[in-house]
């Protein structure tokens, strides 16, 4: 089968080639619904842009690629302008490529690096638990940003690449412990898919450890796993998960949602069930996206240090491009930002 082209994507979406190009490169002028329609086809066919005049020009340019796993995540979307600004200020062109949640991000990175003669790659999202032999084969410098990894700290992590992350189990522990100290003992959770070995699994492990440390039994019936039929980390998934949870008729007074965008859907499901936030159910999200300030009630959430993570990722990549053989693994602490969505039951 011939490789998918940008013209094929445009035909399937019934839009112009320029619209496809703007969608792929996250042009803010494009309609959000149109962008999502285009990106759904891009993800479905695992399309790697390679035929446009712009990309041909890029093969001779000073280009760094930002490869994003989980384009539906607004936390990642909020990082794009910061990455672009930092890379341009360092004298590099910026190329954005998105991949689906089930794609092999390192394989995609290898293919793009070969095709475009990249100076470097920043991989945003995914997992840090790659075999060292796989990362050693990368032909260009690469930094992992906001990726999930077990036991990663300032002295452990992949040998051949640098990384910037938060400690997902620790931050999930913090959320759960906060709810417990607010008087909640029956705490539900909306997490990733059952097969998830990234943030869903890691945040679930932090939740379980906080329950254990506080003498609260873990109850699998209070866990809702992401629905594979809906796009990951979206309002639709949050709504479906919360609806399933409420239909179980299991008593709980609080819910920890692993992504703010899912929390928006969870809010809707709670209201549709005739319940109130936080009087009936308290809600805590994760990511700290701007929209959460304007929810009613405003969402208590974990805010990740976006600017620090972007600055460090670019700095580490520039060092590698400059020939540095040192690899760093930076772990930043997030902030639990208390607003109005949690009831103090004490």
């Amino acid at each position: 089968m011939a490789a998918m082209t940008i013209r094929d994507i445009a035909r399937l979406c019934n839009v112009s080639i320029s619209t496809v190009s703007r969608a792929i490169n996250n042009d803010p002028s494009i309609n959000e619904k149109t962008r999502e329609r285009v990106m759904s086809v891009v993800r479905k066919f695992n399309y790697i842009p390679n035929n446009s005049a712009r990309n041909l020009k890029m093969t001779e340019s000073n280009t760094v690629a930002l490869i994003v796993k989980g384009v539906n995540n607004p936390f990642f979307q909020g990082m794009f302008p910061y990455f672009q600004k930092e890379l341009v200020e360092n004298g590099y062109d910026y190329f954005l490529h998105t991949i689906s949640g089930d794609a092999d991000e390192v394989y995609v990175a290898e293919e793009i690096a070969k095709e475009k003669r990249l100076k470097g790659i920043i991989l945003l999202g995914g997992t840090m638990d790659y075999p060292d032999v796989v990362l050693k084969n990368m032909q260009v410098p690469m930094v992992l940003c906001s990726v999930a990894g077990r036991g990663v700290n300032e002295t452990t992590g992949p040998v051949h690449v640098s990384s910037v992350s938060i400690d997902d189990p620790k931050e999930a522990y913090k959320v759960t412990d906060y709810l417990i100290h607010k008087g909640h003992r029956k705490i539900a959770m909306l997490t990733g898919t059952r097969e998830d070995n990234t943030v869903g699994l890691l945040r679930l492990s932090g939740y379980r450890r906080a329950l254990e440390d506080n003498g609260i039994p873990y109850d699998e019936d209070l866990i809702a796993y992401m629905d594979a039929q809906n796009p990951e980390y979206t309002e639709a998934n949050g709504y479906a998960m919360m609806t399933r949870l409420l239909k179980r008729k299991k008593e709980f007074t609080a819910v920890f949602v692993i992504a703010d965008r899912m929390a928006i859907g969870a809010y809707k499901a709670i209201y549709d069930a005739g319940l109130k936030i936080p009087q009936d159910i308290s809600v805590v999200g994760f990511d700290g996206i701007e929209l959460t300030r304007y929810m009613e009630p405003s969402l208590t959430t974990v805010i990740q240090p976006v600017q620090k993570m972007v600055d460090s990722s670019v700095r580490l990549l520039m060092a590698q491009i400059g020939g540095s053989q040192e690899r760093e693994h930076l772990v930043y602490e997030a902030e639990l930002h208390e607003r109005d969505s949690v009831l103090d039951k004490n």
Side-chain angles (χ1 to χ4, degrees):
M1 179 179 177
M4 181 71 65
T5 69
I6 194 170
R7 189 180 301 277
D8 295 327
I9 299 292
R11 177 177 53 78
L12 288 171
C13 297
N14 195 28
V15 297
S16 66
I17 292 175
S18 64
T19 296
V20 174
S21 178
R22 287 191 296 126
I24 290 171
N25 290 285
N26 204 42
D27 188 320
S29 68
I30 193 170
N31 178 274
E32 178 61 24
K33 289 184 178 179
T34 301
R35 189 193 69 81
E36 180 53 40
R37 188 167 83 252
V38 171
M39 294 311 300
S40 68
V41 175
V42 168
R43 291 190 294 271
K44 179 179 179 181
F45 291 97
N46 198 24
Y47 167 67
I48 299 177
N50 62 3
N51 290 324
S52 69
R54 177 175 180 272
N55 285 337
L56 289 172
K57 182 180 179 181
M58 276 187 177
T59 62
E60 303 299 330
S61 67
N62 216 23
T63 304
V64 168
L66 180 64
I67 299 177
V68 187
K69 187 170 188 177
V71 70
N72 287 315
N73 191 333
F75 171 67
F76 290 163
Q77 293 171 355
M79 298 176 86
F80 297 164
Y82 295 102
F83 274 116
Q84 183 171 19
K85 178 177 180 294
E86 290 298 319
L87 289 168
V88 169
E89 287 182 356
N90 278 276
Y92 288 87
D93 293 323
Y94 167 84
F95 168 61
L96 175 65
H97 182 77
T98 61
I99 58 177
S100 63
D102 58 356
D104 184 329
E105 54 267 36
V106 174
Y107 171 77
V108 173
E110 283 186 289
E111 292 302 302
I112 294 177
K114 292 174 185 175
E115 180 184 325
K116 300 193 175 300
R117 302 181 191 172
L118 297 173
K119 284 297 182 69
I121 293 172
I122 296 174
L123 183 57
L124 186 59
T127 178
M128 202 176 292
D129 300 324
Y130 308 110
D132 283 330
V133 66
V134 173
L135 297 175
K136 186 178 181 180
N137 290 333
M138 287 300 302
Q139 299 300 305
V140 299
M142 184 167 74
V143 172
L144 311 179
C145 178
S146 194
V147 296
R150 302 179 208 183
V152 174
N153 56 46
E154 287 83 353
T155 58
T156 65
V159 174
H160 300 287
V161 299
S162 292
S163 66
V164 179
S165 64
I166 62 168
D167 187 329
D168 285 289
K170 178 181 176 181
E171 298 301 338
Y173 184 106
K174 184 190 301 182
V175 170
T176 311
D177 194 59
Y178 161 79
L179 288 169
I180 292 168
H181 282 85
K182 287 290 185 180
H184 299 272
R185 294 188 65 82
K186 296 180 179 179
I187 302 168
M189 185 178 188
L190 307 190
T191 188
T193 64
R194 289 184 181 273
E195 299 76 25
D196 186 9
N197 64 350
T198 59
V199 292
L201 175 65
L202 297 176
R203 292 174 189 174
L204 180 60
S205 71
Y207 160 89
R208 295 188 66 161
R209 187 162 56 85
L211 294 179
E212 180 182 348
D213 287 353
N214 285 277
I216 300 174
Y218 172 75
D219 186 348
E220 181 70 16
D221 286 340
L222 291 181
I223 308 300
Y225 294 95
M226 198 176 293
D227 185 351
Q229 295 178 348
N230 290 310
E232 294 182 328
Y233 303 105
T234 59
E235 298 87 350
N237 229 316
Y239 184 90
M241 296 161 75
M242 179 57 73
T243 299
R244 289 200 309 272
L245 193 61
L246 292 170
K247 286 181 178 179
R248 293 175 190 168
K249 304 297 183 183
K250 290 284 295 188
E251 182 185 354
F252 61 94
T253 62
V255 60
F256 170 29
V257 187
I258 69 165
D260 286 342
R261 192 168 170 186
M262 288 161 55
I264 296 171
Y267 263 47
K268 171 69 171 166
I270 291 169
Y271 290 140
D272 283 355
L275 301 172
K276 295 181 179 180
I277 304 170
Q279 293 90 335
D280 298 311
I281 299 177
S282 295
V283 183
V284 179
F286 204 107
D287 286 337
I289 65 174
E290 181 68 13
L291 179 61
T292 58
R293 294 176 52 201
Y294 304 101
M295 295 166 65
E296 181 56 41
S298 57
L299 180 67
T300 293
T301 185
V302 175
I303 298 179
Q304 300 191 54
V306 171
Q307 187 69 65
K308 289 181 180 179
M309 295 173 75
V310 170
D311 290 349
S312 295
S313 298
V314 174
R315 176 181 63 79
L316 293 172
L317 186 65
M318 294 302 107
Q320 289 185 45
I321 291 173
S324 173
Q325 297 302 308
E326 293 186 12
R327 301 295 180 260
E328 297 182 53
H329 303 290
L330 305 180
V331 181
Y332 285 106
E333 185 166 354
E335 176 190 357
L336 179 60
H337 196 82
E338 192 170 10
R339 293 196 181 114
D340 304 319
S341 62
V342 174
L343 180 67
D344 190 337
K345 295 173 62 66
N346 294 317

